Amino acid sequence: MPLGRVLVCLFAWTGLPLAAAAQERSAPPPRVPDTMEARVAACTGCHGVAGRGVENVYFPRLAGKPAGYLYNQLAAFRDDRRKYVPMNYLLAYLPDDYLRQMADWFAAQNPPPLTIAAPAPAASLVVEGHRIANSGVPARRIPACIACHGNDLAGREPGIPGLLGLRADYVSAQLGAWRYGVRTALAPDCMQVVSSSLSEPEVAAVSAYLASLPVSQARPAKAGPVKLPLACGSQVHSTGGRQ
């Protein structure tokens, strides 16, 4: 075969994959649906698909919690009232309306809970935690957990979260954060009052008891004429903008 014809054939053969590659590069990327589910996909790495929770003890379930509570927490991270650098960074420039949409989406989810085996706490610790959670400490005017979070501890609309499915280390860390001012809520900050009134052994007992409860898909109680034992800013200011 003449050399010229060989070169023409070689060029034609090598040009085909090059042309295909160029066409592939110029093709538009597949479009991601513009939905809130797609927009909060970044959250699933820490909080699980649809906010169902993950094995990491410090990343709680978001699904089904009251929208007002979720909104308050997103705003608190954005405004540095709660300190966790990845959350502070991700939310720093998001407006109130967008945070509200995120909160509404997670509140509407109800995936099966993620059940994780945990070490069994001492029975005496669970008994003491049960007493505090259900009866409080009347001598020191510490209210029972169920007085605000509901008899089944599934939360209360619009701004009080459920306490089911939380691990002991997470509960203890959050109570400690309130005790020492690392975590704050909208004034009046009722959880700061309660947490700072509990002793370290009482914090450990409440944390152990709550972690011993079975995970469920119970929904928060609807808002109603329930008188809370303490004034709670999170329950009052759960739909507005920056505070």
Side-chain angles (χ1 to χ4, degrees):
M1 179 183 293
L3 179 59
R5 184 174 297 177
V6 171
L7 292 176
V8 168
C9 292
L10 180 61
F11 178 79
W13 180 80
T14 57
L16 287 174
L18 292 176
Q23 184 177 6
E24 183 177 343
R25 286 196 301 269
S26 64
R31 295 190 63 180
V32 176
D34 187 13
T35 63
M36 185 52 65
E37 180 179 7
R39 293 183 181 189
V40 300
C43 307
T44 63
C46 293
H47 293 282
V49 176
R52 70 173 297 201
V54 293
E55 292 189 8
N56 189 307
V57 65
Y58 293 108
F59 297 140
R61 177 182 175 95
L62 303 180
K65 283 188 165 59
Y69 169 78
L70 293 173
Y71 168 79
N72 283 340
Q73 303 320 300
L74 293 170
F77 279 118
R78 180 195 62 189
D79 300 340
D80 290 328
R81 286 185 284 106
R82 286 190 71 174
K83 307 291 185 182
Y84 182 59
V85 172
M87 289 290 292
N88 300 139
Y89 176 80
L90 284 171
L91 301 171
Y93 301 105
L94 295 183
D96 295 320
D97 288 346
Y98 197 85
L99 297 185
R100 167 58 64 191
Q101 292 176 50
M102 292 175 64
D104 288 343
W105 189 85
F106 279 112
Q109 307 308 305
N110 196 23
L114 184 68
T115 303
I116 300 173
S124 59
L125 204 60
V126 174
V127 169
E128 174 65 3
H130 177 276
R131 182 185 67 80
I132 296 171
N134 289 273
S135 302
V137 187
R140 303 207 313 274
R141 297 184 178 180
I142 299 175
C145 301
I146 63 172
C148 295
H149 293 273
N151 289 332
D152 58 359
L153 296 172
R156 190 185 304 281
E157 298 283 359
I160 299 177
L163 301 179
L164 302 173
L166 301 177
R167 267 64 66 84
D169 287 347
Y170 177 81
V171 176
S172 178
Q174 298 313 304
L175 291 173
W178 262 304
R179 282 163 63 86
Y180 301 112
V182 178
R183 176 176 178 176
T184 60
L186 300 174
D189 191 347
C190 52
M191 278 306 302
Q192 195 281 325
V193 174
V194 171
S195 300
S196 62
S197 301
L198 292 169
S199 67
E200 292 289 348
E202 288 169 338
V203 167
V206 170
S207 301
Y209 169 68
L210 293 177
S212 74
L213 299 176
V215 183
S216 79
Q217 293 176 273
R219 306 295 287 185
K222 297 297 183 182
V226 177
K227 182 174 176 58
L228 301 179
L230 294 173
C232 184
S234 292
Q235 187 71 335
V236 175
H237 304 289
S238 57
T239 57
R242 293 176 186 261
Q243 300 292 325

